[in-house]
Amino acid sequence: PVSRSIDGPEVQNGYPALMVTATAYLRNRHYHRPSDLPDTLDYEKMTAVLYGLKDAVIKMSREVAQ
């Protein structure tokens, strides 16, 4: 099972961690149903999320490297 928090052994032992989860079932009523089709997805929103994630990973990697 996937935890919805980032408190696993990595963090407990002082390692930086980032948890990324889709949680699509919480946001898309079509998820894993016959109506789960490409036209039910919000591609602009997904693109924005991915760019934000990319920026966060880059920023975190720079901070860890210091």
Side-chain angles (χ1 to χ4, degrees):
V2 174
S3 171
R4 291 191 185 140
S5 66
I6 188 162
D7 58 2
E10 299 86 359
V11 173
Q12 292 172 3
N13 288 295
Y15 292 97
L18 172 68
M19 183 174 127
V20 178
T21 179
T23 61
Y25 62 94
L26 297 175
R27 293 174 280 101
N28 185 344
R29 63 189 168 106
H30 303 284
Y31 186 69
H32 280 204
R33 295 186 176 176
S35 60
D36 191 357
L37 301 169
D39 64 337
T40 66
L41 301 174
D42 186 338
Y43 291 99
E44 287 185 32
K45 191 174 193 178
M46 289 191 302
T47 300
V49 168
L50 289 174
Y51 277 117
L53 179 59
K54 175 196 68 125
D55 293 344
V57 169
I58 289 170
K59 182 179 181 196
M60 288 178 66
S61 67
R62 288 181 181 150
E63 291 173 1
V64 170
Q66 293 179 3

